[in-house]
């Protein structure tokens, strides 16, 4: 629960609350209103929850009465104030949880080496880690796919899982949900989330709001039940575990007023894609978002959770709904205790936090639910919504744009018709007409699959995945997919052989109600067998495509597609060979799986033909709203949740059989290729290093806009030709045993070699080169880029020294040359991936200079002591004429660093000319300044632990 909250009691706010014969203490927000500090009903709900945390955790030192006044001073024109937030718990998933455990273990080892008691490194808040990110879709379309995939999961990840079992016994209040259970955010929504905690602290009973941070950017999904929680990097989460308040600026809060109700045919997925598009356009980065208005009552709690889940895609820190009767009904449906549900009601009513709220907001956005239409999003950003009715011309324009320069002697009229730019009055204009001949754009490629020949081409759907907590937590869209599958099977439709199909529920309850409804067999008939209970395709664990498919894609440079019910579709995330990736509702995932292609108008083109040769259209098999509602009502009940979550921490025989280390200090294995002690705390100095000017730095990367954390630190598979693969081969690991970057995050040797190594990342220092390559300065040496041509540094100049990012960084390190990275807008958008910052640090990057940052990545850089700098408005590396060959200096740090300080950067060209430009340090709080001065947040925590008596 945080610090010893029995110390100061400012504003006479710690009061008694009695429930069911038990006396509790609570930090009463109405006391602050009595003191004249605020008008509670004017404050957004999320701000009141943060205010309660500050009030309850006042200790007179780290958190003071002045912090309470600052938090209470919120108004729409938000004052410039710092807020110390202490979450009530932390949630982890395994890809980010393993490096967090490795860091905690490394801290204990560092403390042990200094002769101190290792147990002083101990989490101060409860931690739940859900293993969900490691299962991969190797097997699919069969009854035994799940068992085979789980077996492989344990074979690949046994060492990582043993480390997690060690943590479970080494740290107090550290719980692990074993593999094969569900996805962290769905488990959090259906089980872990309590809305209100009743806790014992120092012999006293306390009530407090459920709040959290999680090492996954989709942690805000819990806002669907009114819980304030957001994603942070592992570094910041580890500090929160160890009792460090999360310091943040008092946020602006955007209110989204919902009216109307969803029309027939529109799903919660369609709604969240509209919301994501609208909020990205509105600009909500670093802001909280709350949904209110009469339309909220027309959304189920799972619908609300779907919207809250995609907060990071929307750009917001959180996207949440208030707690109302529907929330309590959902808690009852999911098996929460009746007494606890009543406690939630009474506590929140006492705090003025229950029911409809109408506070003031920094900005209000309007959305009429009746305007929502069936939609997808892609091909590589979640905010790029494509109306379903426009998908056919959209995809053809995409392919045409990619290959336009290679087209020769194509009939312009045929091309115009193919692109859909000609008008036609027939309701189904293309149903009976042959495709226009547009050369390579619609040529087919024969592929032999298990002795049968099939054909693929541009636009072929090679992955169709019902996946991700975004949608598998919502019974309405899952049962809609089942109903659509039933209708399709009954009409004689099937999925083409080249489509890799999968169903990965976010909890075992989903399988229960699909079975109870009688719909699971129909999904299985189409190949949507359960492949695992985890993130699978959404996180990049789609697994390999059949080799003939991959060969055909490579040989013909095909733009194939994936359709998934996920929340992320960045380049090379889903599968490195699939160029176009679209987010869609589960029923649309099945529909496009049936169609087998993206360039289809599902309103007018048939999905296929029935046994009589008659065309079958989407409208023929789409279930209506009443049918979906009836299926939900008849198939989902509380007993399913009670039964499945009663054994949530137990695991199967494989988990039980794992032989994990014991003891307070982890036994490091220097030969391990999965878990190694990181270098961050070795030879650790007790003195704070401080900051200083950066001189004679070189540019490691010159990046464009929207470079994601997937680009910076990919999570998926990699080859033996990449630096990480080369290193593993040197350690005796065979390529088929590489696993993924995500699975190797406990090993810094792999991860720093994987930094900036995404096969789709583009370094603008190089022409038309994808992948983790850069120029080692100075130019003039002759070197070879793997799979690319030599690069000239200018007319008549010698080829430049082009090499991998990792190799270049090591050569710079040998010369004591500091490094910088230049980038455009939205640097670090995407997952809360702490290795994107850790790897940047280990490569020797002192500072990044970008036009703008995504919040979590920026904070992760600060957490590693890397300085995120931002160009002045209107400036960019492009507008300043920089090309990456310059010497770079950053001046103004020798006298220390201040909050959001303006510094001066100087780029010196080879001819001696210079470009001087202002940059602003994106360190928004005094605490962030301290983190940079200490070389990182964990470095600060360790110094305090080692120097405190």
């Amino acid at each position: 629960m945080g610090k010893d909250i029995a110390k100061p009691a400012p504003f006479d706010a710690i009061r008694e609350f009695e429930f069911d014969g038990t006396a509790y203490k609570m930090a009463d927000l109405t006391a602050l209103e009595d003191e004249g500090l605020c008008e509670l009903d004017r404050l957004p709900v999320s701000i009141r929850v943060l205010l309660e945390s500050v009030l309850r955790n006042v200790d007179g030192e780290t958190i003071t009465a002045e912090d309470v006044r600052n938090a209470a001073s919120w108004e729409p024109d938000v004052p410039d104030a710092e807020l110390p937030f202490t979450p009530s718990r932390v949630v982890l998933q395994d890809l980010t949880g393993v490096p967090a455990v490795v860091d905690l273990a490394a801290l204990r080892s560092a403390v042990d080496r200094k002769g101190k008691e290792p147990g002083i490194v101990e989490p101060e808040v409860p931690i739940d880690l859900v293993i969900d990110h490691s299962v991969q879709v190797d097997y699919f379309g069969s009854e035994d796919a799940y068992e085979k995939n789980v077996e492989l999961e344990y074979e690949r990840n046994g060492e990582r899982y043993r480390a997690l079992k060690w943590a479970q016994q080494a740290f107090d209040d550290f719980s692990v949900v074993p593999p094969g259970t569900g996805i962290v955010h769905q488990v959090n929504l259906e089980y872990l989330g309590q809305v209100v905690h009743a806790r014992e602290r120092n012999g006293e009973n306390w009530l407090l709001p459920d709040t959290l941070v999680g090492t996954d950017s989709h942690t805000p999904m819990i806002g669907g039940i009114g819980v304030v929680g957001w994603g942070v990097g592992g570094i910041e989460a580890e500090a929160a575990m160890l009792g460090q308040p999360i310091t943040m600026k008092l946020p602006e809060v955007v209110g989204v007023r919902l009216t109307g109700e969803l029309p027939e045919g529109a799903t919660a997925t369609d709604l969240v894609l509209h919301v994501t598009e609208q909020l990205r356009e509105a600009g909500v980065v670093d802001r909280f978002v709350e949904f209110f208005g009469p339309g909220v009552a027309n959304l189920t709690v799972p619908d609300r959770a779907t919207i809250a889940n995609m907060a990071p895609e929307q750009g917001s820190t959180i996207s949440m709904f208030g707690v109302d009767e529907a929330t309590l009904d959902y808690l009852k449906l999911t098996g929460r205790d009746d007494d606890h549900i009543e406690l939630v009601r009474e506590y929140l009513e006492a705090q003025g936090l229950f029911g409809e709220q109408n506070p003031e907001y920094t900005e209000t956005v309007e959305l009429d639910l009746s305007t929502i239409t069936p939609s997808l999003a892609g091909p590589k950003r979640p905010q790029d919504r494509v109306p379903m009715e426009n998908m056919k011309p959209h995809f053809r324009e995409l392919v045409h744009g990619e290959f336009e320069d290679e087209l020769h002697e194509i009939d312009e009229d045929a091309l115009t018709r193919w692109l859909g730019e000609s008008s036609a009055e027939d309701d189904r204009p293309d149903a009976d007409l042959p495709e226009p001949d547009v050369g390579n754009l619609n040529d087919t490629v024969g592929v032999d699959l298990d002795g049968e020949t099939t054909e693929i081409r541009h636009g072929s759907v090679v992955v169709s995945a019902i996946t991700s907590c975004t949608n598998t937590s919502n019974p309405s869209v899952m049962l809609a997919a089942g109903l659509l599958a039933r209708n399709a099977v009954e009409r004689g439709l099937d999925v083409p052989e080249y489509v890799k199909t999968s169903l990965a529920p976010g909890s075992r309850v989903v399988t229960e109600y699909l079975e109870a409804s009688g719909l699971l067999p129909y999904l299985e008939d189409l190949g949507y067998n359960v492949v695992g209970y985890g993130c699978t395709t959404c996180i990049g664990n789609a697994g390999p495509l059949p080799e003939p498919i991959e060969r055909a894609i490579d040989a013909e440079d095909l733009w194939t597609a994936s359709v998934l019910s996920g929340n992320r579709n960045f380049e090379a995330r889903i599968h490195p060979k699939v160029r176009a990736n679209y987010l869609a509702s589960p029923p649309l995932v099945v529909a496009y799986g049936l169609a087998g292609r993206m360039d289809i108008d599902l309103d007018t083109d048939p999905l296929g033909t029935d046994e009589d040769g008659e065309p079958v259209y989407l409208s023929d098999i789409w279930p209506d709203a009443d049918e979906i509602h009836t299926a939900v009502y008849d198939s989902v009940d509380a007993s399913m949740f009670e039964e499945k979550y009663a054994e949530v921490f137990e695991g199967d025989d494989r988990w039980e059989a794992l032989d994990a280390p014991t003891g307070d200090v982890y036994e490091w294995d220097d030969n391990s290729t999965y878990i190694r002690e990181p270098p961050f705390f070795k030879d650790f100095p007790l003195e704070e290093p401080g900051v200083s000017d950066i001189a004679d730095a070189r540019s490691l990367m010159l990046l464009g806009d929207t470079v994601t954390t997937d680009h910076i630190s990919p999570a998926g598979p990699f080859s033996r030709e990449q630096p990480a693969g080369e290193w593993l081969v040197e350690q005796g690991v065979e390529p088929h045993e590489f696993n993924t970057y995500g699975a190797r995050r406990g090993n810094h040797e792999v991860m720093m070699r994987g930094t900036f190594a995404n096969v789709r990342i583009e370094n603008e220092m190089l022409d038309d080169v994808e992948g983790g390559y850069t120029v080692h300065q100075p130019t003039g040496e002759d070197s070879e880029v793997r799979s690319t041509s030599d690069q000239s540094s200018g007319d008549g100049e010698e080829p430049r020294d082009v090499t991998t990012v990792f190799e270049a960084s090591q050569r710079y390190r040998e010369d004591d040359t500091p490094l910088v990275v230049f980038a455009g807008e939205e640097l670090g958008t995407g997952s809360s991936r702490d290795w994107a910052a850790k790897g940047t640090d280990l490569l020797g990057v002192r500072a990044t200079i970008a036009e703008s940052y995504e919040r979590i990545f920026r904070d992760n850089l600060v957490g590693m002591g890397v300085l995120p700098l931002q160009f002045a408005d209107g400036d960019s590396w492009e507008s300043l004429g920089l090309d990456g060959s310059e010497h770079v200096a950053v001046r103004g740090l020798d006298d220390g660093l201040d909050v959001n300080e303006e510094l001066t950067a100087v780029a010196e060209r080879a001819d001696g000319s210079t470009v001087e430009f202002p940059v602003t340090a994106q360190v928004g709080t005094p605490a962030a300044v301290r983190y940079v001065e200490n070389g990182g947040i964990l470095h600060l925590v360790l110094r305090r632990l080692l120097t405190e008596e």
Side-chain angles (χ1 to χ4, degrees), residues 596-732:
R597 60 192 180 100
M598 296 309 302
D599 59 334
I600 182 173
D601 184 340
L602 291 184
D603 286 331
T604 61
D605 296 339
L607 290 167
T609 56
D610 63 17
E611 294 176 355
D612 297 326
E614 293 297 316
V616 180
Y617 297 91
L618 179 63
S619 59
D620 297 330
I621 62 172
W622 189 271
D624 63 39
D626 287 342
E627 190 176 14
I628 296 169
H629 177 77
T630 300
V632 173
Y633 183 82
D634 290 344
S635 306
V636 184
D637 66 65
S639 65
M640 296 175 175
F641 294 89
E642 292 168 1
E643 177 189 346
K644 291 304 175 185
Y645 282 112
E647 53 196 36
V648 67
F649 297 112
E650 292 180 9
D652 59 14
D653 291 342
R654 302 177 187 89
W655 179 256
E656 187 65 30
L658 280 178
D659 184 19
T662 58
D664 291 339
V665 180
Y666 190 78
E667 298 175 7
W668 303 102
D669 178 0
D670 290 340
N671 295 317
S672 171
T673 59
Y674 273 102
I675 305 290
R676 288 202 177 191
E677 183 176 7
F680 307 125
F681 315 120
K682 291 183 176 179
D683 303 318
F684 188 78
L686 294 180
E687 300 78 22
E688 178 185 303
V691 295
S692 60
D693 286 357
I694 300 172
D696 285 327
R698 288 293 195 175
S699 300
L700 185 63
M701 299 289 281
L702 198 65
L703 302 171
D705 295 337
T706 319
V707 172
T708 70
T709 49
D710 277 279
H711 286 116
I712 301 168
S713 183
F718 51 94
S719 72
R720 67 179 302 156
E721 286 77 28
Q722 293 174 280
E726 288 180 341
W727 185 85
L728 285 173
V729 169
E730 290 171 2
Q731 310 308 306

Side-chain angles (χ1 to χ4, degrees), residues 269 466-467 471-472 477-478 480-481 565 584-591:
T269 317
I466 301 174
T467 178
N471 286 291
T472 68
V477 292
M478 295 300 289
S565 60
S585 66
L588 279 184
V589 168
V590 177

Side-chain angles (χ1 to χ4, degrees), residues 310-518:
M310 288 189 69
E313 286 72 37
Q314 296 153 22
S316 62
T317 303
I318 66 168
S319 291
M320 71 169 291
F321 293 77
V323 178
D324 58 12
E325 292 292 344
T327 315
L328 301 188
D329 290 343
Y330 179 79
L331 295 180
K332 186 173 182 64
L333 173 66
T334 50
R336 268 75 164 205
D337 180 73
D338 286 343
D339 288 340
H340 181 75
I341 295 171
E342 186 58 31
L343 173 63
V344 169
R345 179 198 297 277
E346 293 191 19
Y347 171 80
L348 293 181
E349 285 178 342
Q351 294 280 39
L353 290 170
F354 185 80
E356 185 176 349
Q357 308 284 330
N358 192 27
E360 296 181 351
Y361 293 111
T362 305
E363 179 183 348
T364 300
V365 176
E366 300 276 347
L367 178 60
D368 181 353
L369 299 180
S370 68
T371 65
I372 303 305
T373 58
S375 300
L376 299 88
K380 60 181 180 180
R381 296 196 310 174
Q383 64 263 43
D384 295 334
R385 185 180 66 86
V386 183
M388 187 187 77
E389 63 183 4
N390 294 345
M391 178 52 69
K392 185 174 185 176
H394 155 83
F395 194 85
R396 290 187 170 182
E397 285 283 358
L398 181 70
V399 174
H400 177 248
E402 183 67 21
F403 296 99
E404 185 174 11
D405 293 341
E406 301 174 21
L407 299 178
H408 305 289
E409 299 181 3
I410 288 184
D411 182 86
E412 287 298 323
D413 290 338
L415 181 61
T416 298
R417 281 196 297 121
W418 186 78
L419 290 172
E421 296 171 355
S422 60
S423 60
E425 297 181 3
D426 191 337
D427 284 343
R428 301 190 190 277
D430 297 326
D432 301 314
L433 296 176
E435 285 282 11
D437 182 5
V438 287
N440 294 339
L441 294 183
N442 62 358
D443 281 351
T444 59
V445 180
V447 176
D448 189 302
L449 292 176
D450 298 325
E452 298 289 331
T453 298
T454 187
E455 293 181 335
I456 63 173
R457 58 187 177 87
H458 295 306
S460 290
V461 174
V462 294
V463 173
S464 175
I466 301 174
T467 178
S468 173
C469 51
T470 310
N471 286 291
T472 68
S473 60
N474 194 329
S476 67
V477 292
M478 295 300 289
L479 288 165
L483 290 166
L484 187 141
R486 180 200 65 190
N487 297 341
V489 170
E490 290 178 349
R491 289 297 299 270
L493 299 183
D494 203 354
V495 174
E497 285 297 315
Y498 56 79
V499 182
K500 183 172 186 176
T501 48
S502 61
L503 168 61
S507 78
R508 287 186 169 270
V509 174
V510 177
T511 309
E512 286 287 298
Y513 66 67
L514 284 174
E515 288 177 340
S517 68

